[in-house]
Amino acid sequence: MSIKHIDQATYNPLIAGSQMTISFTDLTADQKSGLANYFAQHNQRFITQENQDLLQITHRDLETVIADFKQNAIIATNELEAIYKDSQIFFAAGNRSFDITDKPMIHSIMNLSPESFYDGKDHNLKEYLGRIEEQIAMGISFFDIGGKSTNPKAGDMSADEEFSRMEPYLKEIRKAFPDIILSVDSNNPITIERALDHGVQVINSISGFDTPEMIGLVERYQAPVITTYNNRDKPTDNVHQSLLDYLDDQVTALKARGLKDENIILDPGVGFTSRYEGITKEEIAAEDVTKIKAIRAMADRRLPILVGVSNKSFMGTLFDREIDDRLISSLLVEYNMVMNGGRLIRVHNIEETRLLMDIFNTLAL
């Protein structure tokens, strides 16, 4: 008996409902009958042919099949387990690894910048740690901390000022919650290096890793990254292709510095769109929609993909939603992006997003 995955080049486990095709050859009559009966009972497509038998199945359902076959011994599961493992997609940081093939992961925004567009305010340390504790109880393990707003109206600040906002919080977070994954939301290499030295494991840079200073940090610390396509200051004729080309170049450069697939998160950069003189808010929103739609092509890279649309301004332009009335539109866009390959959802509204992901995990094809 031989079992092979015959469409690896075209199958994409990140796309909801995507099915792989598995070929079975040299089955005995009993094995063929047992498989046909099992898959008929479980509404799986099993096609019997003269020289081979074909199974079309999702990655999620294959996990169930392997567990069942281990119990009822219709066939040995070694080859099926190898196919399953070859299709898995992981995010790894620190000493932890997360299988995100079928189960998206929430990335909690924990701003420390009063200028932030959504929940900007001065923070109380006790209250801040309490929020993290509540979210851990909800199953959240990945938190994003930044001391400087990326809002284009907020202006810039020195690394000293930016890190001074984070430092007391980082010390207490690491002391209280040593097992969580922390990312630093910054594009200043000085700030980032200080954060890494204070226990942050992931670099979240809206400016990517194009400079010697930024790529040098990756090489020295071997820190996982979120790299963003940001064309805010770069008018672009073909946003879709420019986005894919830029992120491909980033992956090549980051792998050359030692990172692996599971250490590289791709961000299409929704909200980090053209801001040149004369551009209309409708044109900006149209670029954001192009980036949202590009996620399906990004998923062909089979790397972790960030969904970062929470409460962003294109929802105001397209759907006439004020900033405090964008929850429903945020959730619907996030769900669409997860169905098309997004796996790390960077959000403000944790409880509602967790419910959304529970629904996805229950109903996903």
Side-chain angles (χ1 to χ4, degrees):
M1 180 185 67
S2 175
I3 304 175
K4 294 181 179 179
H5 183 186
I6 62 173
D7 62 349
Q8 280 181 299
T10 56
Y11 167 68
N12 190 338
L14 290 174
I15 306 301
S18 180
Q19 294 186 320
M20 66 179 82
T21 302
I22 298 174
S23 165
F24 298 79
T25 55
D26 300 325
L27 294 171
T28 67
D30 285 345
Q31 287 173 332
K32 181 175 288 199
S33 174
L35 289 173
N37 289 334
Y38 172 88
F39 290 123
Q41 291 172 10
H42 292 82
N43 297 315
Q44 301 289 351
R45 191 175 184 190
F46 186 67
I47 306 163
T48 300
Q49 299 179 340
E50 184 175 348
N51 297 320
Q52 66 176 347
D53 302 293
L54 301 177
L55 171 65
Q56 292 181 326
I57 192 167
T58 66
H59 186 267
R60 183 189 296 258
D61 287 340
L62 180 58
E63 182 179 22
T64 302
V65 166
I66 291 168
D68 287 348
F69 284 7
K70 283 184 175 181
Q71 288 189 330
N72 60 31
I74 295 175
I75 60 171
T77 61
N78 293 352
E79 290 171 289
L80 289 176
E81 289 179 71
I83 291 170
Y84 179 84
K85 289 178 181 177
D86 284 345
S87 301
Q88 287 178 293
I89 294 171
F90 290 91
F91 160 60
N95 59 357
R96 302 187 66 180
S97 181
F98 304 87
D99 181 355
I100 58 171
T101 317
D102 302 308
K103 191 173 182 180
M105 184 175 181
I106 293 174
H107 187 204
S108 173
I109 301 171
M110 299 293 291
N111 286 323
L112 287 168
S113 49
E115 308 86 5
S116 291
F117 80 94
Y118 181 72
D119 60 353
K121 63 178 182 178
D122 291 319
H123 291 272
N124 171 280
L125 178 59
K126 184 177 179 181
E127 176 192 359
Y128 193 87
L129 295 175
R131 283 176 57 200
I132 294 177
E133 187 172 27
E134 288 174 2
Q135 293 181 24
I136 291 172
M138 286 190 266
I140 311 304
S141 53
F142 189 18
F143 296 83
D144 193 45
I145 296 177
K148 178 179 70 174
S149 174
T150 56
N151 186 334
K153 298 177 181 178
D156 207 353
M157 66 176 60
S158 70
D160 287 342
E161 182 181 0
E162 182 182 9
F163 188 68
S164 70
R165 293 177 172 184
M166 293 188 282
E167 184 175 17
Y169 290 83
L170 288 176
K171 288 180 177 178
E172 295 303 319
I173 290 168
R174 269 289 157 244
K175 189 187 304 181
F177 312 111
D179 295 329
I180 64 174
I181 303 298
L182 292 175
S183 59
V184 56
D185 181 7
S186 178
N187 60 352
N188 188 315
I190 298 172
T191 302
I192 292 168
E193 184 158 22
R194 291 174 181 174
L196 292 171
D197 288 338
H198 279 71
V200 168
Q201 301 105 315
V202 181
I203 306 171
N204 178 12
S205 171
I206 64 163
S207 300
F209 297 84
D210 296 327
T211 66
E213 292 82 5
M214 291 295 285
I215 204 72
L217 281 174
V218 172
E219 192 162 23
R220 289 200 306 279
Y221 285 85
Q222 289 297 290
V225 303
I226 301 170
T227 184
T228 304
Y229 174 69
N230 183 343
N231 64 318
R232 189 174 272 176
D233 300 317
K234 296 173 280 190
T236 308
D237 292 332
N238 186 336
V239 170
H240 178 90
Q241 193 58 51
S242 175
L243 180 156
L244 296 178
D245 290 345
Y246 176 80
L247 292 176
D248 284 345
D249 289 344
Q250 286 279 282
V251 171
T252 299
L254 291 163
K255 285 186 176 181
R257 269 65 179 191
L259 295 194
K260 299 177 181 177
D261 286 354
E262 59 264 33
N263 305 136
I264 303 171
I265 301 170
L266 305 180
D267 179 0
V270 177
F272 299 100
T273 43
S274 299
R275 291 293 194 276
Y276 56 85
E277 185 176 353
I279 192 171
T280 66
K281 63 180 183 179
E282 289 78 16
E283 289 171 320
I284 293 171
E287 279 197 11
D288 281 332
V289 170
T290 298
K291 291 181 174 185
I292 290 167
K293 291 181 176 180
I295 203 163
R296 184 140 189 157
M298 289 171 61
D300 289 340
R301 279 71 183 162
R302 304 188 189 188
L303 297 172
I305 298 173
L306 188 80
V307 174
V309 298
S310 183
N311 299 299
K312 289 195 173 177
S313 61
F314 74 90
M315 298 176 194
T317 302
L318 296 178
F319 312 125
D320 195 25
R321 298 292 93 185
E322 296 297 329
I323 197 165
D324 58 353
D325 188 26
R326 295 176 186 170
L327 175 60
I328 292 175
S329 52
S330 293
L331 293 172
L332 289 172
V333 175
E334 286 157 3
Y335 193 85
N336 174 274
M337 294 178 77
V338 167
M339 291 289 285
N340 284 292
R343 283 299 179 271
L344 292 113
I345 306 99
R346 184 178 182 272
V347 294
H348 305 94
N349 308 101
I350 301 302
E351 188 171 356
E352 295 86 351
T353 308
R354 190 190 66 160
L355 174 60
L356 181 75
M357 292 303 97
D358 286 346
I359 294 169
F360 174 85
N361 291 327
T362 301
L363 301 181
L365 300 176

